[in-house]
């Protein structure tokens, strides 16, 4: 029996595949390579000593999902297959709705027909919108997200809740805060296509001289230094949470189960604090410029991760500085490949 990992060559997906392999799961990856590259599969093998099965296709093609599930007996799925850039989602909302929702529904239709359960959904703290309280726990009321990306995550969660209830399935909705960093081997990390949409890859590319300056989107937020605050979680810590969540679903005797967890550190850091921490961790300078606020961004978001610690026995353990050190090592590795 295998675990299907969609988007498994992507940033969080590849690190999670490694953790699954370390925990003796058989893994089957589907990834259309729209936001990843094939060499990541080789690096997963170098890191883990095992090579998972890999299928390069688009999950909007349901007939290919059928063929895959005919070929492999699946015990569950971790679904990372989604477009994920907040800014881009405001410019291309239909692409986000089509990709993020059609692929999810296709997977669930096939899981329903084959009576497969244990479905873990890569969700996001964006489902909370600009929350009224900080830190954010799982009972914080959901607001209309500020971006089309966030709306697809909120819709995806509702689809999965209905799926679990109607068909007696077990699902886990993992609401990430802001993943950063790279594997300690420097063989896996975030691989942005074109100009990065996320802060840390933009920081590393600026430090490496690929970008002239880091653009900081707004310094007039009601925060101590005027820049937006987020909860930055090390990607390997985040990957380990997926394994814990999967093991919990598989161990339960309940037919219907809907788990929801916030995955973060419980600490917020401003954009300028991240820049300074990166400079201190790696002894490099990051030139930056202040720009207008970006559509879809919120002021502050950080997690209360107590539920995940209590129910999964998991918590983030890696410091911001250490995570930022690994991301610089990854950037240097990428330069050796170019």
């Amino acid at each position: 029996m295998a675990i299907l990992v969609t988007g498994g060559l992507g940033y969080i997906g590849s690190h999670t595949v490694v953790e699954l392999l370390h925990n003796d799961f058989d893994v089957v990856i589907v990834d259309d390579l729209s936001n990843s590259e094939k060499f990541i599969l080789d690096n997963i093998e170098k890191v883990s000593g095992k090579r998972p099965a890999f299928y390069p296709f688009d999950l909007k093609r349901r007939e290919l999902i059928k063929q895959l599930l005919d070929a492999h007996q699946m015990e569950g799925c971790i679904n990372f297959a989604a477009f994920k850039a907040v800014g881009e989602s405001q410019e291309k909302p239909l692409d986000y709705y089509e990709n993020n929702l059609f692929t999810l529904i296709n997977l669930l239709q096939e899981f329903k027909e084959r009576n497969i359960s244990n479905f873990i959904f890569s969700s996001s703290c964006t489902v909370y919108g600009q929350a009224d309280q900080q830190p954010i726990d799982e009972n914080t009321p959901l607001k209309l997200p500020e971006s089309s990306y966030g709306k697809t995550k909120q819709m995806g969660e509702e689809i999965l809740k209905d799926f679990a209830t109607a068909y007696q399935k077990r699902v886990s909705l993992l609401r990430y805060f802001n993943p950063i960093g790279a594997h300690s081997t420097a063989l896996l990390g975030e691989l942005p296509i074109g100009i990065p949409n996320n802060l840390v890859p933009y920081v590393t590319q600026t430090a490496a001289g690929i970008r002239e300056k880091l653009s900081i989107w707004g310094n007039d937020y009601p925060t101590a230094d005027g820049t937006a605050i987020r909860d930055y979680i090390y990607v390997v810590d985040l990957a380990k949470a997926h394994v814990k969540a999967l093991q919990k679903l598989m161990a339960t005797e309940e037919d219907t189960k809907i788990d929801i967890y916030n995955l973060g550190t419980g600490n917020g850091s401003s954009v300028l604090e991240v820049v300074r921490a990166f400079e201190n961790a790696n002894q490099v300078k990051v030139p930056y410029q202040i720009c207008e606020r970006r559509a879809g961004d919120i002021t502050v978001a950080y997690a209360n991760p107590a539920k995940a610690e209590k129910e999964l026995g998991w918590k983030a353990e890696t410091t911001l500085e250490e995570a930022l050190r690994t991301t610089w090592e990854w950037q240097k590795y990428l330069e050796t490949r170019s």
Side-chain angles (χ1 to χ4, degrees), residues 312-328:
L312 298 179
W314 170 91
K315 66 177 180 179
E317 297 177 340
T318 308
T319 65
L320 177 65
E321 288 76 12
E322 175 59 19
L324 292 170
R325 189 195 64 75
T326 64
T327 204
W328 183 232

Side-chain angles (χ1 to χ4, degrees), residues 298-315:
I298 60 175
T299 302
V300 57
Y302 63 98
N304 178 349
K307 184 182 176 188
E309 183 173 357
K310 179 182 177 182
E311 295 188 9
L312 298 179
W314 170 91
K315 66 177 180 179

Side-chain angles (χ1 to χ4, degrees), residues 78-318:
I78 305 180
N79 182 35
F80 296 103
F83 295 157
K84 62 181 180 62
V86 167
E88 184 185 63
S89 78
Q90 299 302 89
E91 300 164 4
K92 302 176 180 179
L94 289 181
D95 291 349
Y96 272 67
Y97 290 123
E98 178 184 42
N99 185 71
N100 293 7
L101 298 177
F102 285 13
T103 56
L104 174 63
I105 291 168
N106 281 346
L107 284 166
L108 295 181
Q109 289 281 20
E110 291 302 320
F111 271 50
K112 172 187 65 111
E113 291 189 6
R114 296 161 190 270
N115 197 29
I116 309 171
S117 198
N118 305 317
F119 196 99
I120 293 180
F121 181 58
S122 171
S123 191
S124 166
C125 64
T126 57
V127 300
Y128 294 108
Q130 180 56 71
D132 293 330
Q133 65 183 56
Q134 300 293 334
I136 300 168
D137 65 27
E138 291 80 359
N139 294 318
T140 300
L142 304 189
K143 290 186 171 182
L144 185 67
E146 301 284 330
S147 67
S148 298
Y149 162 73
K151 290 172 187 173
T152 69
K153 290 301 182 184
Q154 201 175 85
M155 291 175 192
E157 287 196 5
E158 293 304 313
I159 290 167
L160 277 156
K161 289 175 188 175
D162 289 346
F163 167 76
T165 302
Y167 306 114
Q168 293 186 298
K169 301 296 184 186
R170 295 180 296 272
V171 304
S172 191
L173 313 177
L174 303 184
R175 295 171 177 167
Y176 313 158
F177 281 68
N178 291 65
I180 61 168
H183 197 270
S184 59
T185 60
L187 291 173
L188 300 171
E190 191 164 3
L191 198 64
I193 307 295
I195 298 174
N197 284 287
N198 294 336
L199 171 63
V200 172
Y202 211 124
V203 167
T204 57
Q205 289 191 8
T206 303
I210 298 169
R211 309 289 165 195
E212 183 181 357
K213 290 180 181 177
L214 167 70
S215 296
I216 294 178
W217 306 105
N219 67 343
D220 57 349
Y221 287 98
T223 62
D225 62 21
T227 62
I229 290 173
R230 298 290 184 271
D231 186 338
Y232 295 93
I233 178 173
Y234 181 46
V235 65
V236 177
D237 288 342
L238 181 61
K240 290 176 179 177
H242 290 74
V243 178
K244 296 277 192 182
L246 179 62
Q247 289 169 332
K248 181 172 181 285
L249 285 186
M250 292 172 65
T252 187
E253 295 182 0
E254 299 175 57
D255 291 330
T256 303
K257 185 75 173 170
I258 302 171
D259 285 337
I260 301 174
Y261 297 108
N262 286 345
L263 300 179
T265 68
N267 298 304
S269 301
S270 74
V271 173
L272 283 174
E273 285 173 337
V274 171
V275 171
R276 294 190 191 104
F278 180 89
E279 290 179 331
N280 291 337
N282 299 297
Q283 298 302 302
V284 293
K285 295 298 292 180
V286 180
Y288 64 84
Q289 60 186 356
I290 303 298
C291 303
E292 293 293 316
R293 289 193 193 187
R294 185 172 58 177
D297 281 341
I298 60 175
T299 302
V300 57
Y302 63 98
N304 178 349
K307 184 182 176 188
E309 183 173 357
K310 179 182 177 182
E311 295 188 9
L312 298 179
W314 170 91
K315 66 177 180 179
E317 297 177 340
T318 308

